[in-house]
Amino acid sequence: MSSSHQQQQQATPRGLPGFLRRTLRTSTAEQENNALDYSPSSAPKSPAVPDSITDTVGVQSGNVDNDNVDMANRSSRSKSDSQIIDGRMTQTDNATNQNSLTLTSPGSAKRHLRAVAFPPLPYEQELGGNNSDDDVVVGDVDKQSQSLSVASTNNVISTPMIAPPQPQTEATAPPPQPKSYKEIQYETMLNSTIIPLRDLRKLSWNGIPAHHRSKIWKILLSYLPANTSRHQSTLTRKRNEYKDAIQQHYDIPDDSRTNSEQETLRQVLVDVPRTAPEVPLFHNDRVRRCLSRLLYIWAMRHPASSYVQGINDLATPLIAVFISGYFPNKDVEEEVLSGEVMIDVTDAILEEVEADTYWCLTNLLAGIQDHYTSDQPGMQRMVMRLEDLVNRIDADLAGHLRETGIEFLQFAFKWMNCLLLREFRLQRVMRLWDTYLSEGDGGFEDFHVYVCASFLVHFSAELQQMGFDELFQFMQNMPTDDWTDREIEILLSSAFVLSTLFGGSEAHLNVVRH
């Protein structure tokens, strides 16, 4: 072995990738052939290694060691020494022949090439990361670095600076969903100085969003005025009036009540525990106390009708909706009606709910008060209208009911007295009442008759196949537990068609009675 070849091997640093050692040997051989002097006084200075990674050969990896690079190089040794994997950089013959590398000494060359070939690891990797052989890819660059470019200018192969890795950030929350046109309309109306009641009724007919229902019901029941600037003052005044009524009628000694008042209180206290037995919210003792108090005070202030069984049912949707109004982010069925919300309901909130329910119930019953007076003439009037309507729209069903001996009063009286509250789940009743309130004064009387007719005709095919016992049992327990708002809306649409055909034209209902 010649002395020059031995010098080349000695000058070639160990532990470098194969193609780097070949490049260094080639450069050293050319410098010896040109008889260059490598003395420290005459040798040109090696290019300084910048702080950021500057790769004169084109190999960069975020996590690499000598053994992994040697394995990768052995697998790619069959490829041309002048090319790098993925075509990232091509070292031309001209660049090789023109002394692209100038070195001061074997030691400095080794440090220079090692600094270029094996850049410092990021801080996170120094602390210990998941380093695997699969992460080492010769000739590939990190995803966060810029693409290497090769420029042969002044016989030096240069590359751009590689951007440092960006810090990892936590995943941001998804952007909020855009509001629907209907939601924008609700917000525009409710934020107006004067709420357009006619437009609000039209919009509410097809259902009110749960988070707006509490406020809109109070407006449609004329508890809150259309002038939004007066809302807070109205609430304060009405709630204070209700507190005075409690002091006047309820928080008094029992011996100061008359026999009639004691009987009314007893009837209220008996009915309240039986109110909405399938709804856990009304099993709560605090809610029951509120319901008992407001029902008794309403009876004391309305002696013409006093308390009648069924009025307790009418208060349940109001209480549930007004409680949910304080917690718009809670699910009505899963958290409010289940009673879980009562953990967060303070006594102050419950006092406001009780007062609001009392005044809204008062306004609701004002339009149907003759349903609960002596002999209940309003109730009987509605049952008769229902029978006439069914005779008109489904004569076969009406005839079958007569043949089996079923009278409309036997099943429809409950429908009119409780406004179908015992036929549907409470959340379905809320959707039903959205439309009733939007109908105005006749929603709970006139339009309710058309809803009852549509409800009865909906089961016409099944009813016509039943005998007396089966039919009577079916009427007492209508199969609506699995109904959703979709079925309620179909029912309301059918009722609207009937009201359009027969509303205001009583002659259409004048049919011959058999």
Side-chain angles (χ1 to χ4, degrees):
M1 183 180 299
S2 63
S3 60
S4 61
H5 185 48
Q6 293 178 352
Q7 292 177 358
Q8 290 180 3
Q9 288 183 339
Q10 294 175 359
T12 303
R14 296 292 182 181
L16 293 181
F19 66 92
L20 292 182
R21 292 199 300 270
R22 289 195 298 276
T23 302
L24 182 58
R25 286 197 297 269
T26 301
S27 177
T28 304
E30 291 177 355
Q31 291 172 2
E32 289 181 352
N33 294 335
N34 294 332
L36 295 177
D37 185 8
Y38 287 96
S39 63
S41 60
S42 62
K45 294 182 179 181
S46 61
V49 179
D51 294 336
S52 61
I53 303 168
T54 303
D55 193 350
T56 60
V57 180
V59 178
Q60 192 271 341
S61 176
N63 211 4
V64 66
D65 55 23
N66 292 341
D67 295 336
N68 291 336
V69 174
D70 287 339
M71 292 173 62
N73 285 325
R74 284 194 297 271
S75 64
S76 60
R77 185 159 297 180
S78 61
K79 295 188 177 181
S80 174
D81 292 339
S82 63
Q83 294 181 347
I84 303 300
I85 296 176
D86 293 338
R88 302 265 180 188
M89 186 182 74
T90 302
Q91 184 175 8
T92 62
D93 295 337
N94 293 334
T96 303
N97 297 330
Q98 293 179 0
N99 298 329
S100 60
L101 295 174
T102 58
L103 305 174
T104 58
S105 65
S108 63
K110 179 177 180 179
R111 288 192 301 272
H112 173 68
L113 290 177
R114 184 177 294 276
V116 172
F118 310 114
L121 297 176
Y123 177 71
E124 292 82 355
Q125 296 181 5
E126 291 179 359
L127 293 179
N130 295 328
N131 300 330
S132 63
D133 295 340
D134 295 338
D135 295 334
V136 181
V137 179
V138 178
D140 198 4
V141 297
D142 187 75
K143 292 182 179 179
Q144 296 179 351
S145 66
Q146 301 177 355
S147 300
L148 298 177
S149 63
V150 179
S152 178
T153 305
N154 296 328
N155 299 330
V156 177
I157 301 175
S158 62
T159 61
M161 300 293 288
I162 299 177
Q166 298 297 326
Q168 297 292 330
T169 59
E170 295 184 0
T172 58
Q177 295 294 329
K179 296 180 180 179
S180 64
Y181 175 71
K182 185 176 182 179
E183 176 69 21
I184 295 174
Q185 283 185 304
Y186 273 116
E187 292 184 356
T188 301
M189 290 184 187
L190 296 177
N191 293 329
S192 302
T193 304
I194 304 296
I195 298 176
L197 293 180
R198 184 175 180 180
D199 294 338
L200 183 62
R201 292 183 189 278
K202 289 181 179 180
L203 188 62
S204 302
W205 203 97
N206 291 318
I208 303 172
H211 57 283
H212 289 314
R213 182 173 282 144
S214 176
K215 185 174 184 179
I216 293 177
W217 276 23
K218 294 173 185 177
I219 295 172
L220 296 180
L221 283 166
S222 301
Y223 176 47
L224 291 179
N227 189 339
T228 56
S229 63
R230 295 171 50 199
H231 281 185
Q232 190 56 48
S233 61
T234 299
L235 290 173
T236 302
R237 176 172 54 84
K238 288 290 189 180
R239 289 167 180 171
N240 288 334
E241 288 182 15
Y242 181 71
K243 289 181 181 179
D244 295 339
I246 293 176
Q247 298 297 325
Q248 180 181 357
H249 298 289
Y250 196 81
D251 291 342
I252 59 176
D254 289 338
D255 56 5
S256 64
R257 293 188 174 94
T258 65
N259 292 335
S260 175
E261 291 173 348
Q262 291 180 2
E263 179 61 24
T264 300
L265 180 59
R266 186 196 67 81
Q267 186 63 42
V268 168
L269 294 178
V270 168
D271 286 349
V272 166
R274 298 184 296 189
T275 302
E278 73 285 353
V279 182
L281 175 65
F282 294 98
H283 299 173
N284 186 277
D285 292 337
R286 297 164 63 201
V287 174
R288 286 180 173 178
R289 284 196 297 270
C290 291
L291 182 58
S292 301
R293 190 160 46 219
L294 71 89
L295 290 175
Y296 177 78
I297 293 174
W298 186 90
M300 293 299 98
R301 301 187 69 173
H302 297 82
S305 60
S306 188
Y307 173 76
V308 177
Q309 191 176 21
I311 296 178
N312 56 319
D313 292 313
L314 303 185
T316 56
L318 299 173
I319 292 176
V321 167
F322 294 160
I323 288 178
S324 65
Y326 288 89
F327 306 96
N329 294 326
K330 292 185 179 295
D331 183 82
V332 175
E333 188 167 9
E334 297 295 333
E335 297 179 89
V336 177
L337 298 183
S338 67
E340 295 180 8
V341 72
M342 293 306 298
I343 299 176
D344 301 320
V345 176
T346 63
D347 291 339
I349 291 176
L350 203 56
E351 289 177 1
E352 294 178 356
V353 169
E354 181 182 345
D356 296 344
T357 301
Y358 169 81
W359 290 112
C360 289
L361 180 65
T362 300
N363 293 348
L364 188 155
L365 292 174
I368 55 175
Q369 191 165 357
D370 63 346
H371 293 192
Y372 305 101
T373 56
S374 179
D375 297 330
Q376 297 179 296
M379 208 79 66
Q380 297 186 35
R381 182 177 63 249
M382 293 176 68
V383 173
M384 292 177 61
R385 292 186 59 200
L386 174 62
E387 184 176 0
D388 290 341
L389 186 58
V390 174
N391 274 289
R392 187 70 174 179
I393 63 177
D394 196 339
D396 293 338
L397 175 60
H400 179 72
L401 294 177
R402 285 192 298 269
E403 291 174 1
T404 54
I406 296 294
E407 298 289 340
F408 274 79
L409 196 62
Q410 293 173 326
F411 64 87
F413 183 85
K414 183 180 67 170
W415 295 2
M416 307 305 174
N417 188 48
C418 301
L419 298 176
L420 294 176
L421 273 160
R422 298 184 182 180
E423 276 59 51
F424 297 113
R425 297 172 63 184
L426 190 54
Q427 193 168 8
R428 306 289 85 81
V429 174
M430 294 178 186
R431 173 62 191 91
L432 195 67
W433 280 28
D434 289 345
T435 301
Y436 281 8
L437 292 171
S438 301
E439 283 286 323
D441 295 335
F444 290 92
E445 182 169 2
D446 296 333
F447 193 74
H448 180 66
V449 173
Y450 295 108
V451 171
C452 291
S454 300
F455 183 52
L456 183 61
V457 172
H458 177 80
F459 298 99
S460 177
E462 294 92 333
L463 293 174
Q464 293 185 46
Q465 304 299 322
M466 298 178 185
F468 178 86
D469 293 335
E470 188 179 4
L471 196 151
F472 189 82
Q473 183 64 29
F474 186 88
M475 290 294 192
Q476 296 300 319
N477 188 19
M478 304 294 283
T480 60
D481 289 342
D482 59 344
W483 278 36
T484 64
D485 284 351
R486 176 178 175 82
E487 284 76 19
I488 294 295
E489 289 169 357
I490 294 174
L491 186 68
L492 291 170
S493 299
S494 177
F496 177 77
V497 173
L498 294 178
S499 67
T500 303
L501 295 174
F502 300 105
S505 301
E506 296 297 333
H508 290 181
L509 300 179
N510 292 334
V511 296
V512 178
R513 295 178 181 272
H514 296 282

